[in-house]
Amino acid sequence: MALVSVSGAVRAATTLALWSAAWQGGASPDDVLQAIDGADHRAGVRAATDEIAVMTGLPGPGSPTAGSAALLPLLRDAGEAQLLLPYPGDLRGLPTSGELTVTALDAGAAVTLTGPSLAVVPVNGHWRVFANSARHPADDLAQAHDRLDDEVARATRSLTALDVARQSDGARERVRQLILADAVSTPPDMPRPASALLATSISLQALLTVADSHDTATVTSYQMAAVDDALRPLAIAIREARRAAVAAGVRGLGRRSTGAPRGLGRSL
C-alpha cells in the first residue's frame, strides 16, 4: 500500500519545518544547518523557476545548487511552516495541478512557508523551492491523539480477528531499524507534548510498515486485502499525527528564544 510507506523525504521535511521555527526563535545557524544536513539532503537548494530565483536570490533551473546555508535567509522570514504529507487522493495544501504538486506527491512531503508563500520540497538529496499560496492547517494535538487512539484500537481489533497480529523476531528487528532510520533531530526547546506525539507517530509508522509487508504471519490473498483495508485509516491517522506534532512544535518553538547554542534533541 503506497499510503503506508514513508520516504526519507518525510524525515527531511519534518526536520526542516521544526528547525525553521527554531531558527526564527533564536537557534544558532550552526545547529540549524547541522540538523538540516543531518536529514540526508545535503546536495543544496535551487529555485524551481526563474521567477522564484529572482524572488529569493536562489539559483534557478539549470544552475548549480546553492549550499544548505542559502536556506537560512529564506527560513528566517518564513512565517509558520506547515508540513504537508500528500498522497494520491489527498493533495490538500497543494495546487490542484502543476510541477509543485507532481514533485511533492512523488516525494511524499513538502514544507509550506506561509510568510513568503513558498513550498520547499526535498528531491533526490536537495531542496527545491516553489511558489505555493495554498494552506492545509494540521489538527491540534488533542484531535490527533484521539484519532490515532481510535484507529490503533480499530486496526488492532481487525488484525486480531484476522489472526495476523503476530510478530516474528525478524519483524521486531525490522521495526527497530525503521524507528532508528526515521528518527528526527528535534530542537532542544521542542514542546514535550509535540515531541511525544512525533515519537509515537514514528514508532507506529514503523509498525505499520512491517505489518503492511505481511511478514507478521502467513496470510491468504483475502487476508492481505483485509489487512490493507484495516491499515489504511491508521496510516492516515499516523500521518496526521505527525503533522499535528510538527505544527504544535512550530508554534511553540516560534515563541521561544533559545539563547546560547545547545545540543540537538532526538525524537525516536
Side-chain angles (χ1 to χ4, degrees), residues 9 15 30 36 38 56 62 76 79 127 131 139 168 172 186 196 198 202 205 210 213 218 224 249 264:
T15 302
D30 287 345
I36 292 174
T56 61
R76 175 67 85 184
W127 304 93
D139 292 340
S168 66
R172 293 188 186 94
T186 55
L198 178 59
I202 289 171
Q205 182 63 56
V210 172
S213 71
T218 302
M224 288 175 65
L264 305 183

Side-chain angles (χ1 to χ4, degrees), residues 195-254:
S195 183
L197 183 58
L198 178 59
T200 297
S201 70
I202 289 171
S203 298
L204 287 174
Q205 182 63 56
L207 286 166
L208 185 67
T209 301
V210 172
D212 186 59
S213 71
H214 308 300
D215 289 339
T216 54
T218 302
V219 295
T220 66
S221 58
Y222 165 78
Q223 287 174 318
M224 288 175 65
V227 167
D228 286 347
D229 289 342
L231 295 183
R232 179 173 291 275
L234 178 57
I236 295 171
I238 291 171
R239 285 171 178 258
E240 292 307 310
R242 181 188 286 256
R243 294 186 65 245
V246 169
V250 165
R251 287 192 298 270
L253 290 164

Side-chain angles (χ1 to χ4, degrees), residues 124-214:
N124 297 327
H126 74 278
W127 304 93
R128 195 174 300 170
V129 181
F130 298 81
N132 186 31
S133 59
R135 302 288 183 267
H136 179 28
D139 292 340
D140 63 34
L141 289 179
Q143 290 174 315
H145 269 296
D146 289 346
R147 182 177 185 180
L148 196 58
D149 288 346
D150 288 346
E151 294 303 339
V152 167
R154 191 192 314 273
T156 299
R157 289 194 300 269
S158 298
L159 296 179
T160 300
L162 290 166
D163 194 28
V164 294
R166 301 183 301 275
Q167 278 195 355
S168 66
D169 290 340
R172 293 188 186 94
E173 175 59 21
R174 178 61 178 151
V175 168
R176 188 187 71 84
Q177 292 173 353
L178 288 171
I179 290 173
L180 292 176
D182 198 25
V184 175
S185 292
T186 55
D189 283 330
M190 175 98 162
R192 287 187 179 181
S195 183
L197 183 58
L198 178 59
T200 297
S201 70
I202 289 171
S203 298
L204 287 174
Q205 182 63 56
L207 286 166
L208 185 67
T209 301
V210 172
D212 186 59
S213 71
H214 308 300

